[in-house]
Amino acid sequence: DLAQIGVSGLAVMGRNLARNLARNGFSVALHNRTSARTKSLVAEHGDEGTFVPTETLEEFVAALERPRRVVIMVKAGAPTDAVIDELVPLLDEGDIVIDCGNAHYADTRRREADLRERGLHFVGAGVSGGEEGALLGPSIMPGGSKESYATLGPMFEKIAAHVDGTPCCVHVGPDGAGHFVKMVHNGIEYADMQLIAEAYDLLRDGLGASAADLSRIFAEWNTGDLASFLIEITAEVLGHTDAATGQAFVDVVLDQAEQKGTGRWTVQTALDLGVPVTGIAEATFARALSAHPEQRDAAREALPGPARGSVPVSDRDAFVDDVRKALYASKVVAYAQGYDQMAAASAEYGWDIDLGAMATIWRGGCIIRARFLDRIKDAYAEERPASLLVAPYFRDAVAEGQEAWRRIVAHAAKAGIPTPGFSSALAYYDALRADRLPAALIQGLRDFFGAHTYKRVDREGTFHTLWGGDRAEVEA
Ligand code: NDP
């Protein structure tokens, strides 16, 4: 019997995705460069469903029903190209190659165009939820042709997470759309985590509270508007005690954040598209700053400023509530920016992404799953808002929290607590709502030194002032 789908690349992610497929009743051909992984999967989990283990790619391809569905789940970048190059000569017209790794969307666009020319479908599918998601139900963001989704979609929808009976999987759009959306998801994840970290920092120093106290506060927050996987696990991590020292776990972890690069991709891409994703950028840069111990050591010695905790908090409960509101408002800004980035890419590449559907498929399975996403889905249910911030629900929620947000950003500045996420989100909010921006002065300066011209508020046309001469205005 031929297998319905194949998975090549059986490290943690591929292994769990293959098991998920098998547990859902699909027969799965297995392949891995090193066949020991294939053997151990079958030895340990062979009873979970129908697996067809193979040793070579030729055997693997021969084990699949046609049109073939081949999932690649290997290291992103050159290894993915290596596997595709080896695989393609063995395939037939109409077969579907699905890359579930964390590919850059530009690579996915290139691979899709390349395989299309050879009569094959290439689907770049973002998969979120880590190891556990892959096994129990991830959020899946497939790109590629509509035609390939017709045969692949039902399988992916079955193995994806489900929320209220709706699968966390939808056809995102052509070629690289799926991997693009997965990238923005990861960027938003960076922003979410940074904002949570700032809330933690403010509370810890502002209240002089223990990690265990804060664990309880985050657990409480997880019952309200902020309810989400990341808030839930923040409570877990803060409540954890280091076995070796008996100290709070968070206090024994080196404070230098690492990154695998999807935050950076999101920011780089946003710069190219001209979309301000300040929340994601600040989060990415905050990790980079943390990872420069030599500068931090020098600055700790050299730079004066208020001692942390030196600004008293008179009403502790009110302060906690202010931080919660500031976190929520900043989070809305980060999501609004991420959604702007998806909208811009969708227009640029003609993807026609349904933004509301992206909120729907992020409700379960993935790292940023949150109650809040239902509201985003609603915001896009009718006309697309100019920004998520002006959608009525979010506009009102942020308006309600903005006094608290301003108090917290002011407190942070006075107390010397860095809150790049909270502060830049507030600056973005105020810039967006401003009657006039100082961009007018920037245009004036540009015209002065570079004759870059400007437009006027009162007349059509493009103008230049003769700054070096009699300062008369001429039409450019
Ligand atoms: P890794 O990224 O660690 O990759 C290991 C797998 O890649 C192994 O199967 C390995 O084969 C194979 N491989 C590496 N180089 C080659 C090559 N040149 N030719 C053929 N095969 C090669 O595995 P993960 O399971 O962690 O991740 C798989 C993909 O999923 C990655 O793209 C990752 O970014 C993405 N991803 C991972 C998540 C996670 O939480 N880990 C979450 C979401 C996506 P061998 O056994 O022979 O070495």
Side-chain angles (χ1 to χ4, degrees), residues 413-457:
K414 281 190 207 139
I417 298 171
T419 52
F422 283 15
S423 309
S424 81
L426 181 57
Y428 177 88
Y429 177 83
D430 282 332
L432 208 56
R433 70 187 193 85
D435 275 344
R436 277 192 47 86
L437 288 169
L441 175 57
I442 289 173
Q443 284 298 81
L445 297 174
R446 293 178 71 245
D447 189 59
F448 188 107
F449 67 67
H452 291 305
T453 74
Y454 52 88
K455 293 195 165 57
R456 297 182 55 100
V457 295

Side-chain angles (χ1 to χ4, degrees), residues 116-139:
R116 185 159 18 103
E117 216 156 85
R118 301 169 188 225
L120 302 171
H121 294 285
F122 184 79
V123 174
V127 175
S128 177
E131 231 178 294
E132 191 183 284
L135 181 63
L136 303 176
S139 173

Side-chain angles (χ1 to χ4, degrees), residues 11-13 32-34 37 73-76 79 83 101-102 127 130:
V12 283
M13 289 297 287
N32 193 68
R33 178 179 62 179
T34 316
R37 284 200 204 267
M73 200 40 152
V74 302
K75 221 177 250 321
V83 173
N102 257 337
V127 175

Side-chain angles (χ1 to χ4, degrees), residues 151-441:
T151 108
L152 197 63
M155 299 178 94
F156 275 6
E157 288 177 15
K158 194 155 182 205
I159 66 161
H162 285 73
V163 176
D164 305 333
T166 305
C168 296
C169 174
V170 77
H171 181 226
V172 177
D175 60 82
H179 273 138
F180 190 95
V181 162
K182 171 64 176 13
M183 175 186 76
V184 174
H185 163 284
N186 283 27
I188 290 175
E189 177 186 314
Y190 272 57
D192 251 346
M193 288 167 67
Q194 174 65 23
L195 296 172
I196 288 172
E198 290 177 19
Y200 156 76
D201 208 17
L202 281 158
L203 292 172
R204 189 106 197 237
D205 279 326
L207 302 178
S210 70
D213 289 337
L214 297 185
S215 170
R216 283 186 284 277
I217 290 174
F218 278 94
E220 167 68 27
W221 286 0
N222 198 41
T223 63
D225 282 345
L226 281 169
S228 59
F229 174 66
L230 284 170
I231 294 283
E232 177 192 329
I233 66 170
T234 299
E236 297 267 347
V237 171
L238 290 176
H240 183 59
T241 302
D242 174 51
T245 61
Q247 283 179 264
F249 165 79
V250 70
D251 290 337
V252 301
V253 177
L254 187 68
D255 59 345
Q256 296 177 21
E258 297 178 9
Q259 43 187 316
K260 291 211 294 196
T262 40
R264 186 176 64 233
W265 287 353
T266 316
V267 179
Q268 285 169 335
T269 306
L271 289 171
D272 290 337
L273 289 167
V275 180
V277 291
T278 53
I280 299 168
E282 290 294 356
T284 308
F285 287 136
R287 289 199 198 184
L289 186 154
S290 78
H292 284 292
E294 47 335 299
Q295 279 191 328
R296 292 176 58 194
D297 286 344
R300 199 175 286 124
E301 297 283 316
L303 306 184
R308 284 182 161 238
S310 59
V311 177
V313 167
S314 50
D315 184 337
R316 297 169 68 89
D317 289 344
F319 185 74
V320 172
D321 216 44
D322 275 3
V323 172
R324 181 181 61 78
K325 287 176 174 164
L327 173 54
Y328 190 79
S330 305
K331 183 178 160 109
V332 174
V333 168
Y335 277 71
Q337 295 176 339
Y339 271 71
D340 286 348
Q341 184 171 2
M342 291 191 288
S346 183
E348 170 84 15
Y349 299 113
W351 285 335
D352 199 21
I353 295 176
D354 174 351
L355 295 172
M358 296 309 107
T360 304
I361 64 172
W362 289 347
R363 291 184 307 164
C366 67
I367 305 299
I368 65 172
R369 59 186 183 260
R371 178 176 300 176
F372 170 87
L373 288 161
D374 274 326
R375 302 299 192 170
I376 298 187
K377 173 174 69 88
D378 296 344
Y380 283 99
E382 285 156 30
E383 212 173 315
R384 175 187 286 190
S387 159
L388 205 52
L389 281 166
V390 304
Y393 175 82
F394 291 109
R395 178 198 61 207
D396 295 348
V398 172
E400 202 267 319
Q402 73 161 301
E403 283 310 316
W405 195 9
R406 293 180 193 285
R407 279 193 295 273
I408 289 300
V409 169
H411 176 94
K414 281 190 207 139
I417 298 171
T419 52
F422 283 15
S423 309
S424 81
L426 181 57
Y428 177 88
Y429 177 83
D430 282 332
L432 208 56
R433 70 187 193 85
D435 275 344
R436 277 192 47 86
L437 288 169
L441 175 57

Side-chain angles (χ1 to χ4, degrees), residues 74-132:
V74 302
K75 221 177 250 321
T80 302
D81 280 318
V83 173
I84 292 172
D85 288 348
E86 227 187 303
L87 196 58
V88 162
L90 307 173
L91 298 176
D92 293 295
E93 199 167 326
D95 286 350
I96 307 169
V97 177
I98 309 117
D99 175 18
C100 288
N102 257 337
H104 191 287
Y105 79 97
D107 286 337
T108 301
R109 283 170 59 76
R110 168 177 58 77
R111 290 168 183 149
E112 196 276 336
D114 191 30
L115 265 65
R116 185 159 18 103
E117 216 156 85
R118 301 169 188 225
L120 302 171
H121 294 285
F122 184 79
V123 174
V127 175
S128 177
E131 231 178 294
E132 191 183 284

